[in-house]
């Protein structure tokens, strides 16, 4: 029997394969099962054009059996089989795909597509096997043949006895090493797990002899282990069923079976597209936030299938980061895969699918917001922050997609509102969308800076997430209305008669304010008469791009660059405290210094900022008391 050599290119590829070109060894079984499915598909296509052939679905199946004692794993199919020439061409030349050639010859275009278009997958068997034997009898042939190889050294082909049409692949599983355990590929539970993971939706039955416990005949409490042939794959995926046949419970069960989360999905999206790119998808918006969602460990992505065969657990390219909370799967017949079936060859199709999926998710969220406000607010509690990150990231590229999905707590409505709802209620004389930033709604409610805006009857949005102000700065405006912090220097509110004298009063008291500025040094940019304060004696406002809340957030970051807001100390000249300030200015410089530091530290405390010297602050209070 003549031993034949692989072609030089093929030999090098096989050596790479043996040393694991795939990232996970377990996918060898996926590849061999997909090839078996292809072989059955070929009979199906022959039957479409050959009247002498009938395709009885029940006669076609794939079977996986393990012989632990002899370390043999078998994959058997009742497909079309291979002639000696086909064994030579398909298995002797790596990357020569019989399935691809068959597809071209028969001009296959319908939805019953053939999976294996690249011949390399078969050789993944050498990642777990020392020897691979293939016995095959082709449809219409009297003679069967055996192909055998122990790896890169070459292969043999010889006549063999086989009664039925089809192919049987026998793998001599490697012995365990210190680094790798190969025993697992002979274990029933492990093989079932791999089949369920990767090949659950192959359209033909995948059978195994499964061990079960049964009552012994004639016994009421004594059990025995017996082997029963079972179909271990589901075959018909839920995404290929008609939506009208499915109930909410069906989708919930699928969500649980796929371990997408321990919660129930808040909403599902079932997509079937048959256009420039064909695909099916089932997407879920989770009810609750995963425990690791805002950690580095969280991995976004959808399961990606090609004709029902799992290719990737987490295909991150299918989801934008701001929709990373979405769970689910995509199955496409149009995605061709390269040698590892893990990196997509035609990313154009993938981008088209991703673009469509993004639009579908956006539409679903908009619909949820409009039609089921309670559910949307539940979703927003969990994932609203992610939408705001989406507005801020990529230099605001996605702000138009996301701005109508944002919500903030309203000072007037005492509940979450959208930007559209806020703008629709704005009085004609209101120039800006006003917001206030703080740690909680309760703290913002008490902020002195809100007094003037609230007194004018204007609504204020409360920002309590650290990302809020950064996102809004990126958004800049909504429906031609700019955003304005209640702490900004110019609120754009026309002064009433009681405030008309502000400029005059600033000039009259400039000497006092200059002295206070000198006492505080570079802690503040300026000291001024306040236009906004009504009942409070003092507050801080800001000038420039960095607000006080942004300063706090930036300071808390690991790479703190000591970025600070340009703070202005505002004094309410109508408050009793101002009389004491003026009196100290005229009579007691030391007391003025004391009052100035106290007022500054008071303003810091109101903002939730740390006092530079708490001991000095407490001593200053003691001086007042004495």
């Amino acid at each position: 029997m003549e031993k034949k050599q692989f072609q030089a290119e093929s030999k090098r590829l096989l050596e790479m394969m043996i040393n694991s070109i795939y990232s996970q060894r377990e996918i060898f079984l996926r590849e061999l099962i997909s090839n078996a499915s292809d072989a059955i598909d070929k009979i199906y296509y022959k039957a479409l054009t050959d009247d002498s052939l009938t395709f009885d679905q029940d006669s076609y199946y794939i079977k996986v059996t393990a012989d632990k004692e002899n370390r043999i794993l078998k994959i058997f199919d009742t497909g079309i089989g291979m002639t000696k020439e086909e064994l030579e061409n398909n298995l002797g030349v790596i990357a020569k795909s019989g399935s691809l050639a068959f597809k071209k010859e028969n001009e296959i275009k319908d939805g019953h597509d053939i999976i294996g278009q690249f011949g390399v997958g078969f050789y993944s068997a050498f990642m777990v096997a020392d020897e691979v034997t293939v016995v095959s009898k082709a449809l219409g042939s009297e003679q069967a043949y055996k192909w055998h190889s122990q790896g890169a050294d070459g292969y043999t082909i010889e006549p063999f006895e086989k009664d039925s049409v089809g192919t049987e692949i026998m793998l001599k599983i490697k012995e365990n090493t210190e680094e790798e355990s190969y025993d697992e590929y002979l274990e029933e539970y492990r093989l079932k797990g791999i089949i369920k993971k990767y090949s659950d939706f192959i359209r033909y039955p995948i059978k195994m002899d499964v061990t079960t416990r049964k009552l012994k005949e004639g016994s009421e409490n004594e059990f025995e282990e017996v082997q029963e042939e079972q179909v271990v794959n589901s075959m018909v995926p839920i995404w290929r069923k008609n939506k009208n046949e499915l109930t909410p419970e069906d989708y919930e069960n699928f969500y649980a079976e796929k371990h997408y989360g321990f919660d129930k999905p808040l909403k599902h999206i079932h997509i079937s597209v048959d256009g420039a790119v064909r695909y099916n998808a089932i997407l879920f918006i989770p009810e609750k936030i995963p425990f690791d969602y805002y950690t580095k460990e969280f991995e976004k992505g959808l399961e990606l299938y090609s004709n029902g065969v799992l290719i990737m657990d987490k295909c991150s390219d299918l989801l934008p980061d701001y929709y990373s909370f979405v769970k689910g799967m995509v199955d496409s017949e149009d995605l061709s895969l390269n040698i590892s079936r893990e990196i997509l060859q035609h990313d154009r199709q993938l981008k088209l699918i991703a673009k469509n999926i993004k639009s579908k998710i956006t539409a679903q969220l908009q619909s949820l917001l409009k039609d089921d406000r309670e559910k949307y607010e539940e979703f927003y509690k969990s994932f609203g922050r992610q939408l705001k990150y989406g507005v801020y990231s990529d230099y605001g590229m996605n702000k138009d997609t996301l701005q109508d999905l944002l919500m903030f707590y309203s000072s007037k409505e005492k509940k979450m509102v959208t930007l559209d709802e806020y703008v629709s209620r704005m009085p004609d004389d209101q120039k800006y969308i006003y917001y206030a930033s703080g740690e909680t709604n309760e703290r913002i409610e008490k902020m002195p800076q809100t007094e003037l805006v609230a007194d004018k009857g204007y609504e204020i949005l409360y920002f309590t997430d650290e990302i809020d102000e950064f996102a809004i700065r990126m958004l800049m405006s909504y429906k031609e209305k700019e955003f304005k912090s209640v702490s900004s220097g110019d609120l754009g509110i026309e002064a009433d008669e009681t405030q008309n004298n502000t400029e005059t009063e600033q000039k009259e008291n400039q000497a006092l304010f200059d002295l206070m500025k000198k006492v505080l040094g570079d802690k503040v940019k300026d000291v001024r008469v306040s236009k906004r304060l009504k009942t409070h004696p003092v507050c801080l406002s800001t000038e420039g791009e960095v607000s006080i809340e942004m300063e706090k957030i930036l300071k808390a970051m690991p790479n703190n660059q000591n970025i600070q807001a340009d703070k202005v100390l505002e004094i309410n000249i109508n408050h009793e405290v101002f009389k004491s300030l003026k009196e100290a200015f005229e009579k007691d410089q030391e007391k003025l210094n004391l009052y100035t530091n106290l007022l500054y530290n008071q303003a810091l405390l109101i903002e939730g900022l740390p006092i530079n010297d708490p001991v000095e602050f407490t001593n200053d209070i003691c001086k007042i008391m004495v």
Side-chain angles (χ1 to χ4, degrees), residues 115-177:
I115 300 162
Q117 293 181 29
F118 293 83
V120 172
F122 168 78
Y123 293 92
S124 61
F126 284 101
M127 293 192 299
V128 300
D130 287 323
E131 297 180 36
V132 178
T133 303
V134 180
V135 174
S136 191
K137 185 176 183 180
L139 181 70
S141 176
E142 293 297 322
Q143 180 65 59
Y145 288 89
K146 181 175 85 170
W147 181 99
H148 177 78
S149 175
Q150 292 180 319
D153 287 343
Y155 61 92
T156 60
I157 298 180
E158 60 181 314
F160 204 76
E161 290 300 316
K162 189 177 188 305
D163 295 334
S164 58
V165 170
T167 300
E168 185 172 25
I169 299 171
M170 287 154 281
L171 311 182
K172 177 75 172 177
I173 300 298
K174 294 178 181 181
E175 297 292 338
N176 294 338
T177 66

Side-chain angles (χ1 to χ4, degrees), residues 168-406:
E168 185 172 25
I169 299 171
M170 287 154 281
L171 311 182
K172 177 75 172 177
I173 300 298
K174 294 178 181 181
E175 297 292 338
N176 294 338
T177 66
E178 287 184 11
E179 294 80 25
E180 292 284 346
S181 170
Y182 294 97
D183 285 353
E184 61 181 298
Y185 303 117
L186 295 163
E187 295 290 344
E188 179 188 300
Y189 76 92
R190 181 73 170 106
L191 294 169
K192 275 182 70 177
I194 296 171
I195 292 168
K196 290 296 285 183
K197 180 178 180 180
Y198 293 105
S199 308
D200 199 32
F201 304 113
I202 289 286
R203 51 184 160 259
Y204 306 109
I206 303 171
K207 298 179 180 181
M208 279 185 69
D209 290 327
V210 177
T211 305
T212 57
R213 292 180 79 234
K214 281 195 168 184
L215 274 173
K216 276 189 176 179
E217 194 173 342
S219 172
E220 292 184 3
N221 55 14
E222 205 175 340
F223 289 85
E224 62 180 345
E225 289 189 345
V226 295
Q227 290 257 307
E228 286 187 341
E229 188 177 77
Q230 288 184 6
V231 174
V232 294
N233 63 322
S234 303
M235 288 187 286
V236 182
I238 183 175
W239 59 83
R240 285 185 182 160
K241 292 181 180 177
N242 193 311
K243 297 176 195 179
N244 299 330
E245 299 172 15
L246 299 167
T247 65
E249 288 74 25
D250 291 325
Y251 291 106
E252 286 179 13
N253 291 338
F254 181 69
Y255 184 85
E257 285 166 11
K258 299 299 290 178
H259 304 292
Y260 290 144
F262 296 106
D263 58 342
K264 285 187 178 180
L266 201 65
K267 205 78 179 171
H268 71 264
I269 309 167
H270 191 154
I271 308 169
S272 297
V273 174
D274 190 7
V277 59
R278 298 170 297 169
Y279 76 95
N280 294 297
I282 295 181
L283 312 176
F284 295 97
I285 297 169
E287 183 180 49
K288 292 184 171 62
I289 188 167
F291 73 93
D292 62 343
Y293 186 64
Y294 289 111
T295 69
K296 288 180 181 177
E297 286 70 37
F298 181 81
E299 228 183 320
K300 73 160 184 169
L302 302 175
E303 289 182 327
L304 182 62
Y305 291 81
S306 175
N307 269 302
V309 179
L310 181 67
I311 305 305
M312 297 177 75
D313 272 326
K314 302 273 186 182
C315 183
S316 59
D317 293 334
L318 286 168
L319 287 175
D321 284 344
Y322 50 85
Y323 288 154
S324 59
F325 49 81
V326 173
K327 305 283 188 181
M329 53 63 57
V330 172
D331 184 16
S332 176
E333 301 166 4
D334 293 336
L335 292 173
S336 298
L337 309 161
N338 81 347
I339 59 172
S340 70
R341 286 194 176 172
E342 292 176 25
I343 301 169
L344 295 168
Q345 188 178 44
H346 299 297
D347 65 345
R348 189 182 68 83
Q349 285 98 326
L350 193 72
K351 284 173 182 173
L352 283 171
I353 294 172
K355 184 180 178 183
N356 190 262
I357 282 174
K358 182 181 78 172
S359 300
K360 295 284 186 183
I361 296 169
T362 304
Q364 184 63 257
L365 290 174
Q366 288 170 341
S367 173
L368 193 64
L369 172 61
K370 181 184 174 185
D371 302 329
D372 196 338
R373 182 62 166 255
E374 191 177 332
K375 265 193 179 179
Y376 186 81
E377 290 191 22
E378 192 179 336
F379 151 79
Y380 198 78
K381 276 181 193 174
S382 296
F383 302 108
R385 184 187 298 184
Q386 191 64 20
L387 300 184
K388 289 179 272 193
Y389 276 123
V391 171
Y392 175 71
S393 64
D394 298 324
Y395 305 99
M397 279 178 57
N398 307 299
K399 61 184 182 182
D400 291 340
T401 301
L402 298 171
Q403 60 184 2
D404 286 315
L405 297 173
L406 301 181

Side-chain angles (χ1 to χ4, degrees), residues 62 155 399 432 518 524 553:
I62 300 158
Y155 61 92
K399 61 184 182 182
Y432 301 108
K518 186 178 178 181
V524 296
I553 292 160

Side-chain angles (χ1 to χ4, degrees), residues 580-589 591-592 595:
S580 300
L581 271 177
K582 285 193 74 172
E583 191 176 325
F585 171 65
E586 292 166 3
K587 298 178 181 178
D588 191 338
Q589 173 70 45
K591 191 173 280 188
L592 178 65
Y595 289 169

Side-chain angles (χ1 to χ4, degrees), residues 9 68 73 166 282 362 422 485 626:
E9 290 284 326
K68 279 188 183 180
L73 179 66
I282 295 181
T362 304
Y422 180 102
S485 168
V626 172

